Amino acid sequence: MSSDSREPEAPEKSCVDLVPPSAKETMYPHQRGGFEFMCKNIAGDITLGREPLSDSKGGCIISHPPGTEKTRLTIVFLQSFLKLFPNSRPVIIAPSNLLLNWEAEFQKWEVDIPFHNLNNKYSLSEDKAIVSVFHCLSIAEEKIQTLYVW
C-alpha cells in the first residue's frame, strides 16, 4: 500500500477559460484557433500562470476571409485579455471607413469596454480628454492629429 497522499493536480487553465460562456458557445473552430493564436502572440502563451503572460511585446494579424467574424473574435479576445490585465488600454487601429463597423459590433455585443472613435466625430478638446483617460498625456499634439486625420 502506498503512502503517497498527494492530491491530483488540477488541469492547467487556458486563456480560453476566460472567454464568457455565451461567447464560447457561439465560437466557430477557426475562431477558437484564432483566439489561441492571439493569446500566444499578444499575451505570450495560452496557458495561464506561465510566463511571459505579463510582459509580452508581441502582436499578430488575423487574416481570415471576409464574413468570418474577425471583429467579434477580437472583441472576445479583448474581453479575456482585460480580465488578465485590467490596467491595459488596448488600441485598435483600423481604416477610417471601418470604424463605424467596429463601433456597431461593440454595441451589438454589448461589450463593457470603452470604445472611442477618433475619426472626425470628436473635437480636438474631446481627443485630449480621451488621451488623458488612457494616461497618454505625454503624446505630442501632432501625433494625435495624425491619428485623427487618418
Side-chain angles (χ1 to χ4, degrees):
M1 187 172 264
S2 172
S3 62
D4 189 7
S5 61
R6 289 185 291 168
E7 293 182 29
E9 289 187 28
E12 290 184 319
K13 287 203 159 243
S14 159
C15 285
V16 178
D17 295 323
L18 298 173
V19 175
S22 60
K24 196 182 295 187
E25 292 169 4
T26 61
M27 286 177 78
Y28 294 103
H30 73 275
Q31 290 174 311
R32 185 181 170 118
F35 183 87
E36 290 177 358
F37 178 78
M38 293 173 84
C39 285
K40 288 176 189 173
N41 288 281
I42 296 174
D45 201 337
I46 64 166
T47 304
L48 301 178
R50 284 191 198 166
E51 294 298 327
L53 281 174
S54 59
D55 295 321
S56 176
K57 293 175 176 54
C60 65
I61 295 174
I62 299 293
S63 61
H64 293 159
T68 55
E69 299 187 5
K70 294 173 293 295
T71 305
R72 174 69 172 139
L73 168 63
T74 303
I75 290 170
V76 169
F77 173 77
L78 289 175
Q79 288 176 306
S80 302
F81 185 82
L82 288 169
K83 286 179 185 176
L84 283 174
F85 307 106
N87 294 326
S88 296
R89 298 295 178 255
V91 175
I92 296 169
I93 299 174
S96 59
N97 62 336
L98 293 179
L99 292 174
L100 293 176
N101 294 353
W102 276 93
E103 195 167 0
E105 289 290 315
F106 270 72
Q107 291 170 358
K108 174 182 175 181
W109 298 105
E110 299 176 351
V111 179
D112 59 348
I113 302 170
F115 181 89
H116 302 284
N117 182 340
L118 296 179
N119 202 25
N120 297 323
K121 288 173 107 178
Y122 299 101
S123 70
L124 194 53
S125 64
E126 287 173 315
D127 286 349
K128 287 180 183 177
I130 291 168
V131 169
S132 68
V133 168
F134 289 99
H135 306 289
C136 295
L137 292 173
S138 63
I139 295 177
E141 187 173 307
E142 74 181 42
K143 289 183 181 180
I144 295 171
Q145 191 60 34
T146 301
L147 281 173
Y148 187 82
V149 171
W150 185 57

